[in-house]
Amino acid sequence: SSGINAEYGGGITLDLGFSSFTIPYPAHLGTDHETLLITLVDCPGHASLLKTVIGGAHIIDQMILVVDIMKGIQTQTAECLVIGELTCDKLLVVLNKTDLIPADKRADKIARVRKKISMALSKTKFKDAEIISCSAAEREGVDNLISVISNSVVIGPRDFTGDFVFSVDHCFGVKGQGTVLTGTCLAGSIGLNDTVKISNTKLEKKIKTIQVFRRSVDRLHQGDR
């Protein structure tokens, strides 16, 4: 229901997925804008797919570790923590599927899993990470999750002056529109009518239109999707 497009094989996410939502611009970031676009990068949870995860690390400012509260810490949980320590400095832990716990046992179960997670984090750089619980299926605690993200969000350093580098996910032709590329701006920036050079082909093409999550914009900057 999140709208994230991912590939599945045996229940394991095999590719990076992307979705987004907009929040009022957090006060702790200043008053430069009215809204802030939060981009969610859904990364695979297995070390065997490390290359795929690292591929999305260029624009990750904060990590959200989602844990199935019914299963607790799994092998992939530890793998995700190792990857997290390599790619970012800020972590939020979300204990999901609380709706599956009987109401009279929910508080105790959440407390026990939170304690185990805290112990697992105690020897990592995420020892002070916040741990919250929710049910995505029932939307219980989702508003609190968004509030926590809003209050803790950080914007990493961005350099818009260097060469434009764009990581391409998909490339296809649209009749009457030309060639469409989807992906992530890893460095620099580019605007409408600017010319880009496609590596390994020596081709140069002019930018006709730019969209960020289906919203037309005049310019694309590092970190934009």
Side-chain angles (χ1 to χ4, degrees):
S1 62
S2 66
I4 294 177
N5 294 319
E7 298 178 13
Y8 293 89
I12 300 174
T13 304
L14 299 178
D15 202 355
L16 295 178
F18 295 86
S19 63
S20 68
F21 63 94
T22 301
I23 60 174
Y25 203 76
H28 68 276
L29 295 180
T31 57
D32 297 337
H33 306 279
E34 293 183 357
T35 60
L36 180 66
L37 178 70
I38 302 292
T39 300
L40 302 177
V41 184
D42 180 22
C43 296
H46 290 259
S48 59
L49 300 172
L50 176 61
K51 184 177 179 180
T52 302
V53 177
I54 297 299
H58 299 77
I59 60 167
I60 296 176
D61 299 311
Q62 179 175 346
M63 175 181 173
I64 300 177
L65 179 66
V66 181
V67 178
D68 183 337
I69 197 167
M70 301 301 293
K71 297 180 179 179
I73 299 175
Q74 302 290 297
T75 300
Q76 58 264 41
T77 310
E79 293 170 349
C80 283
L81 284 174
V82 172
I83 295 171
E85 288 197 285
L86 295 174
T87 57
C88 65
D89 295 317
K90 196 171 183 64
L91 174 72
L92 170 64
V93 180
V94 178
L95 306 179
N96 190 25
K97 300 186 179 181
T98 56
D99 59 296
L100 300 180
I101 308 171
D104 60 331
K105 300 179 180 179
R106 191 168 300 166
D108 180 62
K109 176 71 171 182
I110 291 174
R112 284 189 285 111
V113 176
R114 180 181 281 117
K115 183 177 180 180
K116 290 182 179 179
I117 295 291
S118 294
M119 291 178 62
L121 296 176
S122 63
K123 295 183 179 180
T124 73
K125 67 179 180 181
F126 301 128
K127 60 183 179 180
D128 297 321
E130 187 169 0
I131 303 174
I132 64 174
S133 57
C134 74
S135 167
E138 300 295 330
R139 289 199 61 81
E140 295 177 359
V142 173
D143 289 339
N144 179 57
L145 170 59
I146 294 174
S147 177
V148 170
I149 292 174
S150 177
N151 292 331
S152 63
V153 66
V154 294
I155 299 179
R158 299 285 192 258
D159 181 8
F160 304 149
T161 61
D163 292 336
F164 174 69
V165 180
F166 188 77
S167 176
V168 178
D169 295 332
H170 302 97
C171 175
F172 52 91
V174 176
K175 187 175 182 180
Q177 298 294 323
T179 302
V180 176
L181 303 178
T182 66
T184 304
C185 179
L186 303 183
S189 66
I190 201 164
L192 294 177
N193 297 315
D194 286 348
T195 299
V196 295
K197 180 182 293 185
I198 303 174
S199 61
N200 300 327
T201 67
K202 298 183 180 180
L203 291 176
E204 292 189 358
K205 296 293 183 178
K206 182 176 289 187
I207 303 297
K208 295 180 180 179
T209 59
I210 303 174
Q211 290 189 354
V212 175
F213 287 103
R214 300 182 181 181
R215 178 174 57 88
S216 295
V217 297
D218 295 330
R219 197 159 192 84
L220 190 71
H221 299 92
Q222 182 186 28
D224 286 339
R225 168 76 189 173

